[in-house]
Amino acid sequence: MAKKTLVTYENKMVAICMLCFGFAMFDRFAITNLSPFIMDDLGMTNTDLGLTMSVFALAWALSGFIGSMLSDLSANKKRFLGVLTLLSSVCAFSTGLANSFLILAVIRFFMGVLYGPTFPLAQAFAMAQSSPKRRGLNMGLISTTSMGVIANLIAPVLLVALCLAFGWRVTFFLTFIPGAIVAFLILRVLKEPDMTKIDGATASIAKPSLKESLVIFKNRNVLTSMAFSSFIMCWNIGVLTFAPLFLINVKGFDPSMMSYVMAAFGVGAVVWGIVVPSLSDRFGRKPIAILFTLLSIISPLGLLMFSSPVAIALCAFLGWSGSGVFALYQGAIIGESVDTKYASTAMSSVQMVGEIGGGVIGVAVAGMLADSFGLQAPMIFAAGCVIIATLVAFAYYETAPAVKAKKT
């Protein structure tokens, strides 16, 4: 009997895709973790910070949709993902060269263009190359756990420590290194996914066409995820963007303490990124999405209500359960609802709407609210968006293979 081993292609694929998406989000939110230093140096306001995040999100949204559609039609995802990852790292390096808000915004826009297709492409690998019983878990590891470990847990502590030692510009220069390594691993190790041969999902062997791909916009789960994503992204990006400033300027924490409290979001993302998708494999996508979206209201309310670093960190951990839902509404539910040849296009469509609604409009509104009413306003705004997202989630129909099999 052959011995089981952890060094399987499926595990290597998941690990590389986790690194790919994790460092994409590391680079995306590095600017928020270092915002107290960058804003002082460049003379930026809260509105400027919100707009910097917005232009990145707009570019991420549009390029993610266009790039993923092209990859679906050309069936060449591996090279596309590897090259984009390398070029994105060059842009992350260039952030350290910015000497004004305008230059910073331009650099971040082009960085968003290059990073946009990362998530749907990584999820396409997981959709096509995961065993059915691990599909939800693998997609959760890639979408949430990777972000939790790399972007939310490691990044705040590492980036602030490097910034205090070398300055924020050198810190951005160093971010090129992991991106280049990940690009090499993608091109060297990953295999091109075959989106026409996926167990337990709808797939046809016909050649993909642009006209046929548009049918995804008639699917109820795709439309529900588009609406859901707009509000859940307002919560996610709004909290991550303004929490560092809130902790320093309102709660009075020093930068080091702020970085450790922010790391609690990462611990939450790691745990919930595994727990939520795994529970959805067993109990269904819809009820788990509803429950854990509602619980995510704890994170902004905890920031508002408590002053103890321990209490805020605990609320950050518990309230970041909504991050585990990302693997469901962006990945598993979509991949199980449409012809898998168009899975990347469907996922990137949801990403595009969510980024524009939450990452562009939402975070810009949050920045203006912060300048007008104080840094408490973005947290109240985020809590309201959680409630709306929870209500929207009731519109999903169930897609989990195990749950559907019990009903037949």
Side-chain angles (χ1 to χ4, degrees), residues 11 39 60 98 158 180 214 217 237-238 242 284 292 352:
N11 288 337
M39 291 172 71
W60 173 291
L158 178 63
L214 298 179
F217 298 111
I237 299 179
F242 293 100
F292 286 97
M352 178 176 66

Side-chain angles (χ1 to χ4, degrees), residues 18 140-150 266 269-274:
M18 286 178 68
L141 289 171
I142 292 169
S143 67
T144 305
T145 304
S146 66
M147 180 177 174
V149 173
I150 299 173
V270 172
V271 173
W272 301 117
I274 297 172

Side-chain angles (χ1 to χ4, degrees), residues 7-63:
V7 189
T8 63
Y9 173 75
E10 182 176 0
N11 288 337
K12 288 190 287 186
M13 176 273 296
V14 171
I16 292 171
C17 288
M18 286 178 68
L19 290 172
C20 179
F21 185 64
F23 278 109
M25 300 308 285
F26 179 101
D27 289 341
R28 177 174 185 171
F29 288 103
I31 195 170
T32 65
N33 288 307
L34 300 179
S35 58
F37 309 97
I38 298 171
M39 291 172 71
D40 283 344
D41 195 9
L42 301 185
M44 293 168 56
T45 65
N46 292 315
T47 299
D48 291 337
L49 177 62
L51 290 174
T52 302
M53 296 298 290
S54 292
V55 297
F56 181 100
L58 177 62
W60 173 291
L62 297 177
S63 73

